[in-house]
Amino acid sequence: MAIVDMTAREMASAVRNRELSATEVVEAHLSEISAHDREVAAFLLVLADEARHRARSIDEAIARGEEVGPLAGVPIAVKDNMTLRGVETTCASRILAGWRPPYTATVVQRVESAGAIVIGKTNLDEFAMGSSTENSGFFPTRNPIDLSRVPGGSSGGSAAAVAARFTPLALGSDTGGSIRQPASLCGVVGAKPTYGLVSRYGLIAFASSLDQIGPFARSVEDAAALLSVIASKDPMDSTSLGVGFDAAGIGEGVQGMRIGVVEEMLDGVSSGVASVLDSAIAALEAAGAAVERVSVPAARYGLSAYYLIAPAEASSNLARFDGVRYGLRVEGEDITETYLRTRERGFGAEVKRRIMLGTYALSAGYYDALYGKAQQVRTLIARDFAAAYEHFDALISPTSPTVAFRFGERSDPLSMYMSDVCTIPSNLAGHPGMSVPFGPAENGMPAGVQVLAPALREGVMFRVAMALEAAALEAAVPEWAKAAGSGGAA
Ligand code: GLN
């Protein structure tokens, strides 16, 4: 098997057992990147020299018989809104171009101490605002499955890099769906953990009460392995919960589980995506789960509440980019002019739209009617999920209402915002959610099934995800092969 086709766990065990060197693993991925990233454009920065250097030191450590960690020698791509000390971090914004952070994100420290090798920084919608990477201040990323289509966003570079086999693992951030939606559109696994499970230290804030870092991988077990490395207590993030994630037991199946299909997440879904969900329901039933429809009424208002809360927090978080402390500075007559010119030049159109929306929602006289109301809706959503979880262990829905769309197709902001109707409610509730590929749907493009679970029930979520993955793999084997082989093992 080609190195780039292996799972992350296979790579790590081959490196530990000296069947492969970390250097060979890194070189195989770097050559894939140099052959194909010109078309895909997943990376803003490829850290080739640094990755080679790290690979060599891991190989030396193994030769000395040292303990090298569960992800030894495994490449990982990092969305460019997470910091690595001394390495340019832009959030795909012109306003941060050239900024080199003086500190490393906790997640990056965690993956590096587990032996993983950061291979590059991936593209995103500017400050993670968008669903296609078309809002990147530099260039859009293309979907590796069909280059005329978007990879989704905002973590489109990370999803595309994993789908294109540039790396088996990547980190993304999810404020309203930015891990799960691109995972669905690129046909990979992506998970947003419970709010607080993974440290946000070193993640450049978009909407602090919603942002969570999470894993991308090509298999559910790889995603779980990465999550178990990054989930931790971090004294540098006061919202970190202080619990870990243990992947043991995620292969135990769904026999006897009660799984709800969220009614409010079925509106406006394409027929291809709807039939993908139908086959997922059938697969879960065949695996022994009881699947029923359930209503989470306030989820209907998730999108509206999100587009008040997220811009409100963003308008405040982005106030710090003023031409004085970070990146771009466009001089004016006085300091106020300098602020204005820097922000005018440095921010793209969508970021400016969010800053204006958020500032308006927080302004005197509107605060209670807009921001305050949205916070009440947020409480209702959490309450309605809690009611559903009295009867169900997990919930499912489409991840995204459609498959990957073409560039320029969603030029009106509202149609772009609609990409996240199914993912946003769990960010508002602080609950975990993940996307598992279960396609193809329209035009042969991938579509994911979203699995939701109560706070800190990632174990249940991953169990459902593994059952779906097993069914999808089984369905992908042609009938003649099943008949010819003994139980499909061939
Ligand atoms: N697409 C949503 C937005 O534009 C979610 C983005 C995200 O999760 N970072 O806000």
Side-chain angles (χ1 to χ4, degrees):
M1 190 199 288
I3 294 175
V4 297
D5 288 323
M6 296 166 74
T7 68
R9 292 161 76 252
E10 287 166 347
M11 286 176 210
S13 84
V15 167
R16 270 199 307 271
N17 302 331
R18 304 202 203 187
E19 291 151 27
L20 276 178
S21 66
T23 300
E24 287 171 297
V25 173
V26 162
E27 291 301 339
H29 289 93
L30 287 175
S31 62
E32 212 61 32
I33 293 170
S34 46
H36 301 294
D37 199 40
R38 272 226 299 242
E39 301 104 74
V40 177
F43 287 96
L44 289 171
L45 186 64
V46 177
L47 295 166
D49 294 342
E50 294 84 342
R52 289 190 170 111
H53 180 81
R54 287 259 312 153
R56 222 171 303 126
S57 57
I58 287 170
D59 287 332
E60 286 162 10
I62 290 172
R64 288 192 300 267
E66 290 169 19
E67 189 40 63
V68 281
L71 298 178
V74 178
I76 185 165
V78 177
K79 185 179 183 179
D80 199 28
N81 60 352
M82 296 170 219
T83 60
L84 260 100
R85 186 188 169 139
V87 175
E88 187 177 1
T89 299
T90 65
C91 286
S93 181
R94 301 254 166 208
I95 210 161
L96 274 176
W99 180 60
R100 290 174 194 277
Y103 65 108
T104 295
T106 299
V107 281
V108 174
Q109 283 174 5
R110 301 278 310 180
V111 298
E112 287 189 332
S113 31
I117 299 175
V118 178
I119 200 155
K121 303 294 296 288
T122 54
N123 197 21
L124 61 150
D125 289 291
E126 186 177 2
F127 284 106
M129 297 173 186
S131 307
S132 68
T133 76
E134 290 168 290
N135 295 340
S136 167
F138 302 110
F139 47 77
T141 295
R142 299 197 184 95
N143 191 313
I145 295 154
D146 176 347
L147 296 172
S148 71
R149 293 172 190 271
V150 303
S154 66
S155 315
S158 285
V162 170
R165 288 164 162 69
F166 297 156
T167 174
L169 298 177
L171 291 172
S173 65
D174 189 311
T175 304
S178 279
I179 293 174
R180 291 162 285 164
Q181 184 259 14
S184 178
L185 271 48
C186 289
V188 298
V189 177
K192 181 205 92 77
T194 301
Y195 183 79
L197 188 65
V198 176
S199 168
R200 290 179 294 115
Y201 180 71
L203 169 68
I204 295 167
F206 161 11
S208 313
S209 78
L210 302 162
D211 299 339
Q212 257 305 276
I213 293 171
F216 282 101
R218 289 188 298 269
S219 82
V220 174
E221 279 191 301
D222 273 4
L226 178 51
L227 181 59
S228 63
V229 164
I230 59 175
S232 72
K233 173 75 188 163
D234 183 7
M236 300 304 282
D237 174 357
S238 61
T239 64
S240 104
L241 293 171
V243 293
F245 166 67
D246 182 357
I250 65 172
E252 281 169 13
V254 292
Q255 180 72 48
M257 265 197 203
R258 299 155 308 164
I259 298 173
V261 182
V262 184
E263 263 166 17
E264 288 72 16
M265 297 179 183
L266 300 173
D267 292 347
V269 168
S270 78
S271 62
V273 173
S275 67
V276 164
L277 185 70
D278 286 342
S279 32
I281 293 169
L284 291 171
E285 284 173 336
V291 187
E292 261 176 67
R293 285 216 185 188
V294 60
S295 175
V296 182
R300 268 194 207 293
Y301 308 110
L303 196 77
S304 311
Y306 174 87
Y307 277 97
L308 291 165
I309 294 169
E313 294 185 20
S315 68
S316 151
N317 276 325
L318 270 53
R320 63 174 64 103
F321 302 110
D322 57 6
V324 177
R325 284 170 291 178
Y326 312 91
L328 182 76
R329 177 187 183 94
V330 185
E331 293 288 346
E333 296 293 306
D334 54 24
I335 187 66
T336 307
E337 269 287 312
T338 300
Y339 291 159
L340 292 174
R341 286 196 193 170
T342 301
R343 289 168 69 82
E344 160 62 30
R345 185 91 59 85
F347 288 137
E350 183 62 27
V351 173
K352 288 176 185 162
R353 177 180 295 122
R354 305 281 178 113
I355 292 171
M356 288 187 279
L357 272 172
T359 307
Y360 187 77
L362 290 175
S363 57
Y366 295 99
Y367 182 98
D368 289 337
L370 299 175
Y371 183 76
K373 197 54 133 196
Q375 291 291 18
Q376 289 172 334
V377 169
R378 190 172 185 173
T379 303
L380 288 182
I381 290 174
R383 190 198 63 185
D384 288 355
F385 270 126
Y389 287 127
E390 280 176 20
H391 305 283
F392 295 95
D393 302 295
L395 303 175
I396 60 168
S397 77
T399 303
S400 172
T402 67
V403 297
F405 37 95
R406 291 184 195 278
F407 290 94
E409 209 174 275
R410 301 209 177 159
S411 48
D412 136 62
L414 264 186
S415 69
M416 188 70 83
Y417 298 172
M418 292 299 288
S419 305
D420 298 304
V421 273
C422 303
T423 49
I424 280 173
S426 41
N427 296 82
L428 290 167
H431 293 173
M434 71 188 285
S435 183
V436 191
F438 212 81
E442 279 88 359
N443 301 301
M445 294 303 289
V449 170
Q450 179 175 233
V451 184
L452 303 172
L456 294 177
R457 302 303 298 273
E458 274 80 3
V460 173
M461 177 176 85
F462 272 95
R463 259 171 83 175
V464 176
M466 277 207 73
L468 286 169
E469 177 183 61
L473 290 173
E474 170 75 14
V477 178
E479 284 305 319
W480 59 264
K482 286 182 203 165
S486 49

